[in-house]
Amino acid sequence: MFDRLFQPVMIGKVPLKNKIFMAPMATWMPSGDGSVTESLIDYYAERAAGGAAALVVEATYLTTGKPKRLCMANDSYVPGLKRLTGAIHEAGSKAFIQIHPGKGRYDETDPVSASEVLSRTYTSGPTGAKARPLKVEEIEKIVADFGAAALRAKRAGFDGIELHAGHGYLIGDFMSPAINKRTDKYGGSLEKRARFAVELIKAAKREAGEDYAFVFRLSVDEVGGSLSLDESVVLSKLLEKAGVDAIDVDSGGPESKEWVSAPYYVAPGYNVHYAHRIKKSVGIPVSVAGRINDPYVAEDILEKNKADFITIGRALIADPEFPNKAAAGRVNEIRKCIGCMQCYESVLVHDIPVRCSVNPDVGREREAIISPASRPKKVLIIGGGPGGLEAARVASLRGHKVTLWEKSGRLGGQLNLAAAPPGKQELSNLIKYLEERVRESGVTIKLGTEARPPSILRFKPDVVIVATGSTPILPDIPGLSADNVVTAHRVLADSVNAGQRVLVIGGGEVGCETADYLACQGRQVSLTCRSDAVALDAAMRVRPFLLAKLKRDGVQVFSKAIYQELTDEGLDIIDRDGKRVTLEADTIVCACGTEPDDRLYRDLQGKVPELYSIGDCVQPRLIMNAVEEGEAVGQKI
C-alpha cells in the first residue's frame, strides 16, 4: 500500500529502513540536571519498536542549568545517552540527536541574539526586556562546544546529529535579515548571516568526522524576521556545500507563524510546498514535517516527489506503532493524532512531562503494559464517551466480560459535539478508533439503553464504571427561560433550528466554537462574555487560530459585559464602556460551562460490589482526562 514510504533511504552514509523520521519534540522527561531517565528510554524505545526508521532525540543543550531538558555539556552525560541509543538500536531504529546551541531570546536567564531584540517567552510573547547581542568570543565558544558535543554524540552511539536552526531560536535569529543587524563577519549578506551555522557544521564534521551524518532543521517563512522562501533556497545550497547531509523543512505555519506546530485547523502537510522548492534546489535528501498524521498523506508527498522522506512528530506520540501498522496495511488501527495541542500544553504551559489526549500511555510505557486480570469480572460501563470506551477497551483486553450501555443512539458522547465545529472534524478519528477497538475486543454494546439503578442491579455486575459525562449550566439571567433560549450542546448536535440573528452567551472555547459553527452557516452571530477576552481556556497553540476564525467569519464579540436581562428584542448588557445596550437576537445560545452528571454514581454507592466514576461526571475537563481515567480504571479492576 505504501511502497515509497517503506523504501530504504540514506542520510549521508547512514542507511534507513524506511522514510519515516521521528521529529525532535521536548518531553520534559530528563532529570533535573539534564540526564537521561528510565522513562525517557522507555519512551524512545517504544517508538523505535513501532517501526520509525530513525528517531531524532529532543533538543539537547550545550550548557547545564536547564531542568527537564537533555544536556551534553560534558562527558558525564555520555553513559546515559549511550544507554538511550542502545535501547533505540536494539528496538530496530537509528538514533539521531538534536543539538541545540541555545534558546537565544527565549532563554529564561540570559536572553541573547544576533542583535539587540526583545526577549520572549513561549507562553506570553515579549517580556519587555532586551536580549543582548552575542560577542564574537561567545560565538566562538558556542562553536567549539558544539563540535565537542558532536563528538560526544558519536561516542554515545548516535548515528548522526541534527542542528536546531529555526523557530526564533539562536541560529534562526542569526540567519534572519530582520533580526540580525550586525556589521561584523556574522551580519550583512546571507552568506555572513549564515556564517554561524556554517561554522557549527564544520566544527561538528571536524570533531566527529566528515562522514558523521548531519541534518539541518530549516524553518521557512515565519513571522518575526526569518528567511523568505527564496533566501531559504539559497541558504540550502550553502548548507549542502558546507557538508549538511539532509535538510528537514519546517515552518511556523499559517495564522500563528511565530513558533512551530499547528492544531487541527491546519491541513496535514502544510509545509510540503516549502520542502518541494528546497528539494528542487539541492542534491541532498529533503524531509518535510507538519501535521502528517496519515500514511496516505505521507505516501502522496513521496509519490509526487515533493520530499525524500517524512518527518513525523505528534502522530508518533499518539501512536508509536504508526509505521508498523501502516506497513502491515492495518491503517484503520492507527490511533491518529487529533491536533489538539495538549502535548505542547503539558510541556510549555503546565511544565510537566508530555501527555497526549488519545494515548494515555505516553511517559509511562513500561507500567502501561496490559496484563491479564487475576480474576475475570462482569463489568458494566455506563456511558459511551471517550472515557467509557477506553475503559471498555482496556478491561476487555485484560479478560473481563464487558458490557457498555449508552443512552443515545451512537457512541462518542460529547466528543461528537467537540468534533462538530468547522476545522475540528479530526476529533472524530478518536471515536472511530475506540469504537472499532471496543467492538473487535468483544465488548457487548447496547445503544439507546438508559441506565437506572433497578436495571443495573438486575444485571448483577461485579463492577460498575459510571461515565455519564456532564450537563450544561444556565447562567442566572432574568428572562432566560424564554422559548428561544437553547444550549450550545443542542446547537452542536444539530437538534435546533436557530434564527438568522444569534447571540452566544459565554466566551470560553465552546462558546467561540459554537459561534463560529453558526457563522459558517451564514447566520449573523454575536458573542458576549463577562471576561476581558475570549477563548482563554483554549490551548495556547489553538487560541490564535480560533480567534482568527471568529474574525474572518464575522462573529461580533462583546467582552467584559455585565448581563442585565433577556427581553423580546434580545439580551440587555452593560458593555465595557458602561453603556446599556441591547444585543438583538432571534436565538440565544448558552455556552456557560457544564457540571458533573453524577446522579447515577451517587445513587449506586453501597449497592454494587465495585463502583467507579470517570471523566466529566467527576469534573468537566479535557478529552485527555477522560481517556486517562478510562485506561486507569480498566487496568485497576
Side-chain angles (χ1 to χ4, degrees):
M1 296 174 68
F2 307 105
D3 293 340
R4 292 166 184 82
L5 187 59
F6 290 98
Q7 285 177 352
V9 67
M10 299 286 291
I11 294 182
K13 295 192 175 182
V14 179
L16 303 182
K17 62 184 179 183
N18 59 50
K19 296 178 180 177
I20 297 176
F21 209 59
M22 178 178 164
M25 297 169 289
T27 63
W28 259 228
M29 292 181 198
S31 66
D33 68 348
S35 297
V36 170
T37 60
E38 292 301 319
S39 60
L40 191 77
I41 292 174
D42 292 343
Y43 169 85
Y44 282 108
E46 183 89 354
R47 279 139 191 90
L55 314 184
V56 185
V57 171
E58 62 207 76
T60 306
Y61 291 81
L62 302 177
T63 57
T64 56
K66 302 185 187 302
K68 304 177 186 177
R69 285 161 278 187
L70 276 179
C71 182
M72 52 195 323
N74 54 59
D75 290 347
S76 69
Y77 292 96
V78 172
L81 292 168
K82 187 175 290 188
R83 290 175 53 237
L84 176 58
T85 59
I88 293 172
H89 289 147
E90 185 177 354
S93 293
K94 300 295 184 183
F96 284 66
I97 189 166
Q98 186 182 78
I99 303 179
H100 203 345
K103 293 168 65 180
R105 55 193 160 124
Y106 285 91
D107 195 285
E108 300 93 338
T109 54
D110 183 22
V112 296
S113 186
S115 305
E116 187 177 79
V117 63
L118 284 176
S119 66
R120 305 184 67 83
T121 67
Y122 297 121
T123 54
S124 56
T127 64
K130 293 285 183 73
R132 63 178 181 82
L134 278 178
K135 299 175 183 177
V136 171
E137 53 267 31
E138 290 178 301
I139 296 172
E140 292 171 346
K141 176 68 163 55
I142 292 171
V143 170
D145 289 344
F146 189 86
L151 179 57
R152 288 190 193 103
K154 185 175 183 179
R155 288 171 47 214
F158 285 98
D159 301 286
I161 61 173
E162 179 178 273
L163 172 61
H164 196 327
H167 314 328
Y169 290 125
L170 187 60
I171 306 305
D173 277 3
F174 268 81
M175 296 188 298
S176 165
I179 293 175
N180 187 342
K181 303 299 183 183
R182 301 176 75 101
T183 56
D184 59 11
K185 64 180 180 178
Y186 293 103
S189 66
L190 176 59
E191 288 78 6
K192 288 184 176 181
R193 283 184 275 119
R195 184 189 296 271
F196 190 4
V198 169
E199 287 181 353
L200 293 169
I201 296 164
K202 291 183 176 178
K205 293 282 186 174
R206 183 172 58 249
E207 295 296 327
E210 289 296 323
D211 291 340
Y212 196 51
F214 195 110
V215 179
F216 194 96
R217 185 155 234 216
L218 178 62
S219 184
V220 181
D221 192 33
E222 289 176 301
V223 219
S226 72
L227 298 162
S228 68
L229 180 54
D230 288 340
E231 277 199 307
S232 294
V233 168
V234 177
L235 173 64
S236 298
K237 295 176 182 178
L238 291 174
L239 298 173
E240 180 179 21
K241 185 177 179 182
V244 166
D245 298 293
I247 296 175
D248 185 15
V249 174
D250 200 357
S251 81
E255 300 291 3
S256 180
K257 301 179 184 178
E258 189 172 88
W259 207 57
V260 71
S261 288
Y264 34 65
Y265 290 121
V266 180
Y270 62 88
N271 290 318
V272 169
H273 63 293
Y274 298 136
H276 189 211
R277 278 287 305 277
I278 303 297
K279 176 176 165 53
K280 290 191 295 185
S281 306
V282 296
I284 54 178
V286 172
S287 187
V288 63
R291 290 216 64 230
I292 302 172
N293 64 351
D294 188 313
Y296 290 107
V297 173
E299 182 73 7
D300 184 66
I301 293 168
L302 297 172
E303 183 178 5
K304 292 177 179 175
N305 204 29
K306 303 288 187 180
D308 298 293
F309 57 105
I310 307 295
T311 299
I312 298 178
R314 288 171 284 166
L316 291 176
I317 295 178
D319 193 342
E321 287 281 322
F322 176 114
N324 286 344
K325 290 176 180 177
R330 295 156 43 214
V331 179
N332 65 315
E333 295 181 28
I334 294 174
R335 181 171 45 197
K336 289 185 178 180
C337 168
I338 58 176
C340 66
M341 305 304 297
Q342 288 302 320
C343 50
Y344 275 74
E345 199 82 353
S346 59
V347 169
L348 297 180
V349 177
H350 302 298
D351 197 29
I352 60 175
V354 64
R355 295 165 69 188
C356 176
S357 289
V358 303
N359 182 1
D361 300 340
V362 174
R364 43 186 299 277
E365 282 76 11
R366 188 173 304 186
E367 63 190 85
I369 295 172
I370 295 177
S371 302
S374 58
R375 181 175 70 86
K377 298 177 181 179
K378 185 178 181 181
V379 179
L380 177 62
I381 298 173
I382 312 299
L389 288 170
E390 178 68 3
R393 182 186 75 86
V394 175
S396 182
L397 289 174
R398 295 189 60 230
H400 296 298
K401 184 178 180 181
V402 181
T403 299
L404 186 149
W405 292 354
E406 165 57 40
K407 181 169 66 173
S408 73
R410 63 172 176 167
L411 297 172
Q414 292 183 24
L415 191 52
N416 290 306
L417 306 182
K424 296 190 66 183
Q425 289 71 31
E426 284 187 61
L427 269 65
S428 63
N429 287 333
L430 178 57
I431 304 171
K432 182 179 179 182
Y433 169 82
L434 288 172
E435 180 174 356
E436 289 182 355
R437 302 292 79 72
V438 165
R439 291 189 184 278
E440 72 184 14
S441 68
V443 173
T444 299
I445 298 172
K446 292 190 176 183
L447 300 177
T449 303
E450 185 169 2
R452 297 182 183 277
S455 59
I456 292 171
L457 295 178
R458 285 195 299 271
F459 188 74
K460 296 182 179 179
D462 299 314
V463 180
V464 176
I465 300 170
V466 180
T468 45
S470 59
T471 56
I473 296 172
L474 294 180
D476 185 16
I477 301 175
L480 204 64
S481 59
D483 291 340
N484 65 337
V485 177
V486 298
T487 64
H489 283 204
R490 291 188 62 199
V491 170
L492 295 174
D494 202 23
S495 63
V496 296
N497 184 21
Q500 183 59 30
R501 299 175 305 167
V502 183
L503 172 65
V504 177
I505 301 176
E509 186 173 18
V510 173
C512 292
E513 291 173 348
T514 305
D516 189 58
Y517 175 82
L518 291 162
C520 288
Q521 295 175 353
R523 305 179 197 278
Q524 180 184 327
V525 183
S526 300
L527 183 149
T528 184
C529 63
R530 293 188 176 103
S531 57
D532 191 46
V534 298
L536 293 173
D537 58 338
M540 177 183 70
R541 298 299 301 147
V542 171
R543 186 170 184 263
F545 292 85
L546 179 53
L547 295 181
K549 278 184 62 63
L550 292 176
K551 183 177 180 180
R552 186 169 59 245
D553 296 335
V555 175
Q556 193 172 8
V557 176
F558 297 88
S559 57
K560 211 171 184 180
I562 301 173
Y563 305 147
Q564 298 298 293
E565 63 177 330
L566 186 65
T567 68
D568 292 340
E569 287 73 35
L571 179 66
D572 287 355
I573 66 167
I574 304 297
D575 68 13
R576 62 168 54 242
D577 296 322
K579 298 178 181 178
R580 187 181 181 105
V581 297
T582 299
L583 303 179
E584 297 180 355
D586 305 315
T587 305
I588 308 292
V589 179
C590 291
C592 302
T594 60
E595 59 186 3
D597 184 0
D598 60 357
R599 293 167 296 174
L600 182 62
Y601 176 74
R602 287 187 277 111
D603 289 345
L604 290 174
Q605 287 181 337
K607 297 177 181 177
V608 294
E610 284 186 65
L611 178 65
Y612 302 94
S613 63
I614 60 173
D616 282 4
C617 74
V618 177
Q619 181 67 39
R621 289 154 296 158
L622 302 168
I623 297 168
M624 178 171 63
N625 301 113
V627 173
E628 287 178 346
E629 290 171 8
E631 195 267 354
V633 76
Q635 288 275 30
K636 181 178 181 179
I637 58 176

